[in-house]
Amino acid sequence: MSEKATLEINGEKYEFPIVKGTENEVAIDIKTLRSATGGVITIDPGYKNTGSCESAITFLDGEKGILRYRGYSIEELADKADFLEVAYLLIFGELPSQEELDKFHSDIKENSVVDDDVKKILDAFPKSAHPMGVLSSLTAALTAFNPSSVDVESEEDMYNSIVRIMGKFPVLVSWAMRKKHGLPLEYGDDNLGYVENVLRMMFKNPNREYEQNPILIDALDKLLILHADHEQNCSTSTVRITGSSHAGLFVSLASGISALWGPLHGGANQAVLEMLEAIKEDGGDTKKYMAKAKDKEDPFRLMGFGHRVYKNFDPRARIIKKAADEVLGDLGVEDPILDIAKGLEKEALEDQYFVDRKLYPNVDFYSGIIYRAMGIPVEMFTVMFALGRLPGWIAQWREMRLRKEPIGRPRQLYIGENYRPFSPIEKR
Ligand code: SDX
């Protein structure tokens, strides 16, 4: 392949370097396009063909259904690692030694108390508030209680911000759920593992000790690993562009949480369950929903299906589908919704509309079935996605800051009015 790409505009030829990634992906480096051509830019709504950065964190191959964190396959990590190990790998680039992992966890525990005044902000929310809105607000509010986490330049300052949010975020997750259910706000127990601690903070009843269930611990650990990073998806790109103004880690994460909330992105796991429930209420009439999903006049989409990158099975969906059978079996939970989901998947995979558009189940299609079996309320499903994605967002923010990336500021193609003189109101 030639090392240059040539563009011809109005008879003029312009050359741009061709760059290759370590997995032989190819990109045209157009950093000099506008200056070389006297103002010509590219345009690509939704950035379907545009790379925003070079990154060494996560590799996806959408055609082959490959997902790797720092070179390790998602299948091996989900099977052999635990969530905090994967968080360390994503953020710092290598699997930790036992000593490194123990120090990371102990630094996180040192920072897992949230200022009591944050509860006053939480109190101001109505019980009806969606937990994603609460979580985004409280995450941003943490900046006010940890001002030194804003303008971080050194790796040490970044590390301190990172362990602060890794410690406090699970507390905010549990407070968002407990507030909604009228339960007193819990803190964790430093003697527990990271995931065990999350479960205890979420589910401990005030009148009895919380009994850990190894099935729930393993299921949540695996789900958090599967959600931990996914290269430049919508919410991660939001974290990177917010962080590129040096606005600070916590508010950059808060912007990512807001982007994740959308039903086209992380909010899909809640929308999938609501869709499956509606199909169940409709007597299991999957054909009606398939028809709605294909009807261009109908805004309804088959939630949990399709993906910007995967044009093959989402490897996470395969793992979660298998885990759903195992977890429900181990918990002795019979959930007709799982059968409806499998029926819907089978129909869609055989339907020409879905086949032609390479629409497959994505990470959100089965995850909610496991969350529900674990006793996690549906409005908390996307919050669990955010908890899993936290280390990925942190890793991407840290990479962007360490690489000293410029502030993100896309161009546009103006299609509005040409110059026109102001007209006084009496003449309009
Ligand atoms: C996540 O990017 C990531 O990595 C995200 C994520 C992560 O880990 O961060 O993987 C997590 O967000 C997974 C996606 C969760 N969202 C959903 O399940 C919502 C349903 N899916 C769709 O809305 C859609 O598939 C998207 C948003 C996921 C992707 O949209 P694209 O890439 O912009 O594709 P598109 O909208 O251009 O669709 C192409 C065609 C269109 O039909 P035509 O105009 O060609 O006739 O496929 C159709 C779409 O109408 N289509 C669907 C569909 N998804 C796409 N039709 C029915 N149901 C669907 N789900």
Side-chain angles (χ1 to χ4, degrees):
M1 173 180 299
S2 88
E3 299 312 306
K4 294 247 184 242
T6 304
L7 194 57
E8 185 169 340
I9 303 174
N10 300 334
E12 284 286 316
K13 288 191 180 190
Y14 303 90
E15 286 195 336
F16 300 96
I18 287 180
V19 290
K20 250 191 196 179
T22 49
E23 288 289 343
N24 295 319
E25 296 166 303
V26 175
I28 302 170
D29 177 343
I30 57 164
K31 280 200 276 291
T32 60
L33 172 67
R34 194 168 185 279
S35 54
T37 59
V40 173
I41 63 166
T42 60
I43 191 152
D44 184 20
Y47 310 112
K48 295 190 176 187
N49 306 281
T50 300
S52 60
C53 62
E54 293 176 342
S55 178
I57 298 169
T58 292
F59 172 67
L60 299 189
D61 181 320
E63 279 64 39
K64 296 183 188 142
I66 292 173
L67 169 57
R68 296 190 199 126
Y69 296 160
R70 300 285 190 179
Y72 295 95
S73 77
I74 191 64
E75 292 81 3
E76 282 206 271
L77 291 171
D79 192 30
K80 298 172 184 166
D82 74 32
F83 177 59
L84 206 57
E85 225 177 338
V86 169
Y88 186 100
L89 168 69
L90 284 166
I91 296 169
F92 302 110
E94 297 296 336
L95 283 169
S97 64
Q98 189 60 57
E99 191 187 347
E100 287 166 330
L101 185 59
D102 293 346
K103 178 176 185 317
F104 186 47
H105 195 186
S106 118
D107 291 343
I108 288 170
K109 289 178 190 176
E110 277 306 306
N111 287 276
S112 57
V113 174
V114 174
D115 192 295
D116 222 39
D117 283 346
V118 172
K119 293 177 183 173
K120 292 177 184 153
I121 303 170
L122 181 61
D123 285 347
F125 282 98
K127 272 211 177 77
S128 59
H130 194 289
M132 282 297 275
V134 172
L135 185 64
S136 179
S137 308
L138 296 189
T139 303
L142 284 182
T143 303
F145 299 90
N146 303 274
S148 63
S149 293
V150 178
D151 196 13
V152 291
E153 288 301 334
S154 71
E155 283 209 54
E156 188 195 353
D157 289 348
M158 287 183 198
Y159 180 82
N160 293 332
S161 292
I162 289 167
V163 292
R164 273 197 197 105
I165 196 65
M166 284 293 292
K168 298 177 193 320
F169 199 75
V171 177
L172 299 184
V173 163
S174 74
W175 285 7
M177 178 165 141
R178 298 179 77 89
K179 154 90 184 178
K180 199 163 180 67
H181 294 263
L183 287 168
L185 302 181
E186 282 287 332
Y187 270 105
D189 175 347
D190 271 359
N191 300 308
L192 296 177
Y194 194 83
V195 170
E196 290 87 331
N197 203 23
V198 169
L199 287 167
R200 180 183 178 282
M201 286 193 286
M202 286 176 70
F203 291 106
K204 182 176 178 312
N205 275 324
N207 56 352
R208 68 178 85 102
E209 260 319 295
Y210 177 71
E211 209 176 304
Q212 294 284 352
N213 178 339
I215 299 165
L216 300 188
I217 296 167
D218 184 55
L220 183 56
D221 200 77
K222 193 185 288 272
L223 282 164
L224 295 179
I225 289 171
L226 291 169
H227 287 81
D229 194 54
H230 216 237
E231 55 131 284
Q232 305 311 316
N233 59 83
C234 177
S235 54
T236 299
S237 299
T238 306
V239 169
R240 283 183 83 119
I241 204 165
T242 306
S244 72
S245 74
H246 292 196
L249 175 57
F250 299 172
V251 286
S252 301
L253 294 171
S255 61
I257 295 166
S258 303
L260 187 71
W261 190 359
L264 296 188
H265 190 13
N269 59 16
Q270 175 176 345
V272 166
L273 243 293
E274 288 159 355
M275 172 184 75
L276 294 172
E277 282 287 359
I279 292 173
K280 184 171 146 242
E281 291 314 305
D282 244 344
D285 182 2
T286 50
K287 293 206 180 331
K288 172 180 164 187
Y289 287 82
M290 288 286 289
K292 281 170 62 71
K294 296 188 284 187
D295 176 359
K296 290 301 165 200
E297 300 311 308
D298 189 329
F300 174 80
R301 286 195 158 186
L302 204 63
M303 301 315 278
F305 260 78
H307 199 277
R308 172 63 57 75
V309 174
Y310 290 124
K311 300 309 170 191
N312 191 326
F313 246 90
D314 180 335
R316 301 166 298 176
R318 282 189 202 282
I319 298 169
I320 293 178
K321 179 180 176 183
K322 183 166 169 286
D325 278 324
E326 290 163 359
V327 171
L328 270 66
D330 293 346
L331 291 174
V333 169
E334 287 286 318
D335 188 348
I337 290 282
L338 180 56
D339 299 330
I340 292 176
K342 288 180 177 176
L344 196 57
E345 176 191 355
K346 185 173 180 309
E347 262 189 72
L349 293 179
E350 291 164 1
D351 182 286
Q352 211 49 50
Y353 172 97
F354 285 81
V355 171
D356 292 349
R357 291 164 179 79
K358 298 183 178 173
L359 303 178
Y360 290 88
N362 59 49
V363 67
D364 293 309
F365 189 63
Y366 285 104
S367 54
I369 291 166
I370 301 180
Y371 289 140
R372 187 158 92 153
M374 294 173 66
I376 294 173
V378 66
E379 72 273 0
M380 283 292 292
F381 287 6
T382 311
V383 169
M384 301 316 289
F385 193 143
L387 182 62
R389 187 52 53 90
L390 179 68
W393 284 334
I394 291 170
Q396 300 272 350
W397 168 85
R398 180 173 179 271
E399 178 179 74
M400 177 274 300
R401 288 300 308 270
L402 290 180
R403 286 171 59 94
K404 299 195 185 319
E405 303 270 342
I407 186 169
R409 201 273 183 221
R411 307 300 301 230
Q412 64 161 26
L413 190 67
Y414 178 70
I415 56 169
E417 295 284 344
N418 300 116
Y419 173 74
R420 47 185 176 163
F422 181 80
S423 62
I425 193 160
E426 56 276 9
K427 292 194 173 167
R428 287 177 215 154

